Amino acid sequence: MNRSRFDFVVGLFVAIGLLAMVFMALKVGNLASFDSGSGYVLEARFDNIGGLKVRAPVKSAGVVVGRVDSVGLDKETFEAIVRLRITSDYRFSKDTIASILTSGLLGEQYVGLESGGDPVYLAQGDRVGKTQSAMILEKLISQFLFSKAAETPAKAP
Amino acid sequence: MIASIEALGHFITSRVERLGLAARFSGAILLVLWVSIRRTSLIIRELYFSGVRSLSIIAVSGLFVGMVLAVQGYEVLQRYGSAESLGVIVALSLVRELGPVVTALLFAGRASSAVTAEIALMRATEQLAAMDMMAVDPLSRVGAPRFLAAILSMPLLAAIFTSAGICGAWIIGVKLIGIDDGAFWSQMQANVDVRIDVLNGLLKSIVFGTAVGLISVFEGYFAVPTTEGIASATTRTVVISSLSVLLLDLVLTVMMFRGLS
Amino acid sequence: MASHEPSAMITMKGVRFSYADRQILNGIDLTVAKGEIVAVMGGSGGGKTTLLGLIAGRLKPQSGSVIVDGLDVPHLKKAELYGLRRRIGMLFQFGALFTDLNVFDNVAFPYREQTDLPEAMIRTLVLMKLEAVGLRGAQALMPAELSGGMARRVALARAVALDPSVMLYDEPFTGLDPISVGIIGRLIKRLNRALGMTSIIVTHDLNETLRLADRVIVLSGGQVHRDMVPEDIRATDDPFIRQFADGLPDGPVPFHYPVMDYVTELMGP
């Protein structure tokens, strides 16, 4: 086999390999819409974030608009600080409400953003004022049991 | 009793000695790397023998592994009613683990053993000595291009393995089982992170390529120049490469993915 | 640097060399003049090949000096050593041709690696060298397709490609038929005269050696046992040389590997 044929076949191999990498970047992972590092960051404080994880999606009206960038704890107020990286195409008003929701009954948790009517938009580093914490299943159940318990004696006599 | 302790001691010291030799050898090969990197025609030749010749086995294995993952994954996922997550499961296991690891294991068996046998035979037939006598450093003329070719082919082959695997899973999951095509891809895209999953996977395969390349050249270089010597060097390349890949995979996985989810 | 006669190409003084605990060379003193053909003879494992390794700088002596072309070989840096090796050619025992290259590319190898000559010029030079060994017609063959004698001739063409001033031959006649032995012997002599090389031939082949060499050195016990001109070898009554020349099974070189008494071993302890 002569040299130029080596070059050709190896070139073809490298091209196929690079194509596979592009496939992995664009079709398997989603480089096109979520390039971590781009977009802007908002901060939201919650009393309880439940099982929210870094990289969980941020959705508005069901559409993914960003990802959870980091999760931390305020050492003084003991509130969870969640940083949200939002794609720069989307803007949200000052009075947006952030809540931690669950997809399906036992699905993954995500942050839902509900935009309000304020004409001023949130910018890089701003804090989302209104938040709603995660629903904790155990709390829900105990609330339900307590309310049942409270109801029962009223009926008894 | 004393004899067996002596034997154990001898075994350990000889292993440590060989490790030291390997470390010195790695240093020597790194020193000549910058000379060899400019000899592109030599590297292209080795890319052909290591990379191109491994292409078919890698692609076919990837396809089959992806198909098996789809069958097994679907069987488990449909119990929990989340068959649409099949794409995610298959893609994450391939991109993070199976792609780099299985590719490296196949590469060790297919290409590295051949490199070891080739270099060992060149040594046994005094071809390396002849080169050395012609003032051509065998390490930079023979060793380094094969080492570089392993580093370069591994991520390309791993990417091909992974892509073939995902296509295999798609054929089984979407075409045969009938999972929704859109859900298959969109769930995958939503959960596979390019930086954390794809890039770390490729990084793994570069590390594996370095290890496997180094081991194959080293074992060939220091093979006993006899029939049994060459045979055992070839076997050692496959065994040590495979174990190193699995051990490195554990270390890298802990470093890369600990603290995530 | 040790003293060095101006006409000497290779000077060895008090050279000792051992592998682990096996002493191979035990104080070698040897001088080879420019243009000389020196044959080195001796029993198997007697350190003849080691001697070539020391001259080429592939091995380092434990003590003593090796001077080649005015350079102190054991103390050269790698780049300097490679500089010297461009002026040393070596023919290996079985040729050591590169099995993945054909005859032409094997001979072209030193030019391609060591020079920046254009490919057309390299082609001319390679064909000249192949013509000199009579194998221009075999240029497209692979080493596996060559006979032992042809492979040796191609290796010779490759070894002299860069017109070295010193040629080292490691058992050039081993395993060849008498015709090939004659061809190689004549080539060695002709190349030596034509290119003004200094040659050292390590060999067992006494007849060919006597026809070829200017001087014969016999190694024994890791030292230069005898240093004589070929004519004297036939006449000498030195028992070691006689055993070697006449092919006697027993003599100063014992037939038996060192072992306990035969009868004692058979009868049991």
Side-chain angles (χ1 to χ4, degrees), chain C residues 20 30 44 49 56-57 75 80 85-86 94 110 127 146 150 162-163 165 187 192 195 224 238 245 250 256 264:
Chain C
L30 175 66
S44 301
T49 303
H75 299 108
E80 297 167 331
R85 286 198 192 151
R86 291 197 182 95
F94 294 105
L127 293 182
L146 301 176
M150 284 160 78
L162 295 174
D163 298 335
S165 42
L187 280 172
N192 207 71
L195 301 171
V224 177
D238 184 293
D250 217 345
H256 288 288
T264 319

Side-chain angles (χ1 to χ4, degrees), chain B residues 41-64:
Chain B
S41 66
L42 291 179
I43 299 172
I44 284 176
R45 212 189 101 86
E46 297 314 322
L47 274 175
Y48 174 79
F49 286 113
S50 299
V52 176
R53 290 281 190 87
S54 309
L55 189 60
S56 52
I57 185 178
I58 294 287
V60 172
S61 309
L63 197 69
F64 287 163

Side-chain angles (χ1 to χ4, degrees), chain B residues 10-28:
Chain B
H10 179 75
F11 176 79
I12 292 172
T13 49
S14 72
R15 283 308 130 107
V16 172
E17 242 174 55
R18 199 160 171 88
L19 204 63
L21 185 66
R24 233 162 28 130
F25 181 78
S26 316

Side-chain angles (χ1 to χ4, degrees), chain A residues 136-147:
Chain A
I136 308 294
L137 201 59
E138 293 91 322
K139 282 192 181 167
L140 279 179
I141 292 169
S142 60
Q143 262 173 13
F144 174 76
L145 288 177
F146 277 128
S147 62

Side-chain angles (χ1 to χ4, degrees), chain B residues 32 39 42 45-46 118 122-123 125-139 141 146, chain C residues 56 58 78 82-83 85-86 88-90 92-94 96-100 109-110 113-114 158 168 170:
Chain B
V32 298
R39 303 284 304 263
L42 291 179
R45 212 189 101 86
E46 297 314 322
E118 191 188 11
M122 287 182 83
R123 188 177 191 81
T125 54
E126 295 191 301
Q127 293 182 46
L128 295 184
M131 222 174 249
D132 195 34
M133 277 306 302
M134 287 187 261
V136 176
D137 187 357
L139 200 58
R141 181 70 171 64
R146 284 161 175 77
Chain C
R58 288 177 54 75
K78 189 172 169 186
Y82 272 5
R85 286 198 192 151
R86 291 197 182 95
I88 299 179
M90 181 156 178
F92 284 85
Q93 194 168 354
F94 294 105
L97 292 177
F98 301 129
T99 44
D100 57 337
F109 185 88
E113 292 292 326
Q114 302 296 359
R158 186 181 68 178
L168 307 175
D170 189 3

